[in-house]
DNA sequence: GTTCCGCATGAATCGATAG
DNA sequence: ACTATCGATTCATGCGGAA
């Protein structure tokens, strides 16, 4: 097979079947949120819980082949609670992927600032999901400086407490210790993030289950790729990863089984591209 | 053995040895943060990574026996990153405890607002730890209403404007929750929390530090016990769980191997009790 | 009595160095 | 080679002394 990657395209079909036809060492980053395990039928791509690991491992095996040596695989997933218990298939999946010689580098937490409402007798609302970071080798690409963010409440609240006099004194008098320290604070406004990501979910009114927000794949795309590189999402859903890639001037490759989602993603991408051509939302990446 | 629980006492010695002598069905809640796996030697209670699960499972087995049927076991733990990879012993521990017939009800995330600094080529700072919630049976005790919190950012911003004195007074009254003066204006709208807990670590300028802040065991003690019930921490460390229990009018039982930490805990408890007896700010919990 | 700044201090992790 | 130790890096907090 190996007929080359369908760059900037979405393939309609099964993830594993199509991944097998993709060339090796050709993708810089894989970001995806696979269908979660579910025992109910008539659900979107529902995979039974007890078959989840054996269903996913062949897919992650193909991803390992397709990924470039210094590339990364970010897997957004969260196990369900069934019958009062958290299921263990995600834990078993991590162990299984380690047996496939994946390196489990890190587990990022996506803290969903606006999680679904609800009340149950045995648990609170679930406000977080795992973003598992796997690589092929210890030496991988990571552009940390791009994700530096404004410093937190600490410096902000302390800066606000500075009087106007203090700030003026800082400008006029550079030599004195006090003024110098203040200018240090003002200048050093950016810090590195942590492995906890605070992002709100996006609500689509169309009645489809909310996947991750554009900001989530965007964060990892900035972190693990350069502009012009290739991002693969084998479970494209409504096209969120493609939107993020387009906005950041990366190429995308998608696979989607459901014709319904496939069409949704195509529309979303069309809309995104046309809005770009109108010159509205263009930002220079990174 | 079964000579009765050493209520409101800390036992100096090994966790497993002492747990074996505790009576069955006698404790309402176990909250603990065991020593984390470590390959370095000469470390406080360091347990090698490859022996961690086999070291802990006998302990969790005893805990299951000692816990009352409707009780809970909250395990605060986080795997280390070694040689560029997250270790898997915590995942294996969860699977092992399920084989012990524990129910893995939930995984709470403790988001450490002030995490350890540092910069590495392959990861950001680690700002979260797991709080694994296990029970013996599906029907367990959970007092959700006690943990309702004010809704939204306006409450947070109001809290920040409180003077330091107000905050201290508030802390000593309820332990970690919201005090009287706060609740005056908080009574507008309360919501249930989620399974993501935002708490800063406590750092003492001198001496030893607590593994988790008092607010962490306090949160679970309020949630899973009534006043007068019994909280067990088989790795008491510097006594944080006991402090939380005392403030919330629960009984504590502790075990600690290191004489150094044992003495620290005794001192901390003495200090806590004497400040209570001086009549400062005691209110009836929950 | 407050408020506010300066400083020390962490359940960290990696790479280099030494044994 | 493999293990043990050390230095460099980094930032939100509490606390103490100063204003």
């Amino acid at each position: 097979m190996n007929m080359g990657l369908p760059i900037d395209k979405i393939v309609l079909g099964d993830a594993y079947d199509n991944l097998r036809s993709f060339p090796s060492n050709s993708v810089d980053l894989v970001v995806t949120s696979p269908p979660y395990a579910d025992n109910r039928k008539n659900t979107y791509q529902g995979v039974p819980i007890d078959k989840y690991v054996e269903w996913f491992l062949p897919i992650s095996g193909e991803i390992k082949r397709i990924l470039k040596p210094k590339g990364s695989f970010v897997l957004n997933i969260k196990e369900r609670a069934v019958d009062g218990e958290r299921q263990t298939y995600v834990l078993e999946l991590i162990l299984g992927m380690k047996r496939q010689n994946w390196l489990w580098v890190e587990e990022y937490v996506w803290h969903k600032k606006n999680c679904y409402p609800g009340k149950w007798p045995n648990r609170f609302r679930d406000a977080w999901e795992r973003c598992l970071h796997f690589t092929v080798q210890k030496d991988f690409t990571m552009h940390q400086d791009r994700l530096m963010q404004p410093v937190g409440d600490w410096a902000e609240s302390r800066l606000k407490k500075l009087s106007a006099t203090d700030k003026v004194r800082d400008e006029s008098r550079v030599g004195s210790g006090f003024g110098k320290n203040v200018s240090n604070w003002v200048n050093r406004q950016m810090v590195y993030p942590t492995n906890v990501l605070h992002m709100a979910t996006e609500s689509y009114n169309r009645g489809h289950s909310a996947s991750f927000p554009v900001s989530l794949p965007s964060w990892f795309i900035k972190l693990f790729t350069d502009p012009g590189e290739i991002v693969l999402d084998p479970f494209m859903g409504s096209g969120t990863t493609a939107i993020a890639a387009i906005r950041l001037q990366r190429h995308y490759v998608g696979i989607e089984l459901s014709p319904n989602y496939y069409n949704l993603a195509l529309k979303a991408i069309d809309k995104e591209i046309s809005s770009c051509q109108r010159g509205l939302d263009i930002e220079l990446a990174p």
Side-chain angles (χ1 to χ4, degrees), chain A residues 149-165:
Chain A
Q149 52 188 220
V151 74
D153 288 340
W154 168 74
E156 264 181 50
S157 58
R158 287 200 171 187
L159 270 180
K160 280 177 188 168
K161 289 176 184 169
L162 289 174
S163 68
T165 321

Side-chain angles (χ1 to χ4, degrees), chain A residues 17 49 64 99 109 127 179 182 201 254 259 286:
Chain A
D17 294 342
I49 288 177
K64 187 155 180 286
R99 285 192 294 271
V109 161
V182 172
T201 58

Side-chain angles (χ1 to χ4, degrees), chain A residues 68-253:
Chain A
K68 288 184 187 173
K70 299 184 93 169
S72 283
F73 176 21
V74 176
L75 180 60
N76 166 231
I77 196 168
K78 182 65 186 277
E79 60 271 22
R80 287 174 170 276
V82 175
D83 203 23
E85 271 194 290
R86 286 277 164 210
Q87 300 296 302
T88 57
Y89 55 89
V90 174
L91 313 186
E92 288 152 13
L93 183 59
I94 295 172
L95 298 176
M97 288 181 63
K98 281 199 51 106
R99 285 192 294 271
Q100 280 183 327
N101 292 320
W102 282 101
L103 299 183
W104 181 34
V105 175
E106 182 58 303
E107 178 170 358
Y108 294 84
V109 161
W110 168 28
H111 167 45
K112 297 188 275 191
K113 287 189 292 187
N114 58 343
C115 62
Y116 282 112
K119 185 177 188 305
W120 302 269
N122 52 354
R123 65 184 67 249
F124 289 127
R125 292 171 294 155
D126 191 5
W128 68 283
E129 295 191 8
R130 309 177 193 277
C131 294
L132 303 165
H133 178 207
F134 296 94
T135 66
V136 179
Q137 57 187 40
K138 277 175 62 177
D139 176 28
F140 58 90
T141 304
M142 190 176 193
H143 308 285
Q144 297 192 3
D145 290 345
R146 295 183 190 156
L147 287 180
M148 295 191 84
Q149 52 188 220
V151 74
D153 288 340
W154 168 74
E156 264 181 50
S157 58
R158 287 200 171 187
L159 270 180
K160 280 177 188 168
K161 289 176 184 169
L162 289 174
S163 68
T165 321
D166 287 336
K167 288 178 181 167
V168 170
R169 191 198 300 162
D170 173 48
E171 290 178 5
S172 57
R173 200 196 299 179
V174 188
S176 78
F178 180 66
K180 199 178 183 183
N181 286 331
V182 172
S183 64
N184 280 343
W185 283 359
V186 175
N187 291 335
R188 200 178 59 118
Q189 287 178 339
M190 303 293 278
V191 298
Y192 289 101
T194 71
N195 60 358
V196 177
L197 282 60
H198 304 275
M199 294 173 185
T201 58
E202 289 167 0
S203 63
Y204 297 107
N205 292 330
R206 297 292 177 266
H208 288 278
S209 59
S211 55
F212 46 53
V214 180
S215 52
L216 191 70
S218 296
W219 201 83
F220 291 108
I221 288 172
K222 278 190 246 180
L223 185 58
F224 292 128
T225 69
D226 275 317
E229 293 189 338
I230 299 175
V231 181
L232 165 64
D233 186 345
F235 304 96
M236 183 59 94
S238 53
T240 311
T241 301
I243 303 295
I246 292 169
R247 289 188 186 165
L248 294 167
Q249 326 242 325
R250 274 75 168 176
H251 295 290
Y252 65 88
V253 175

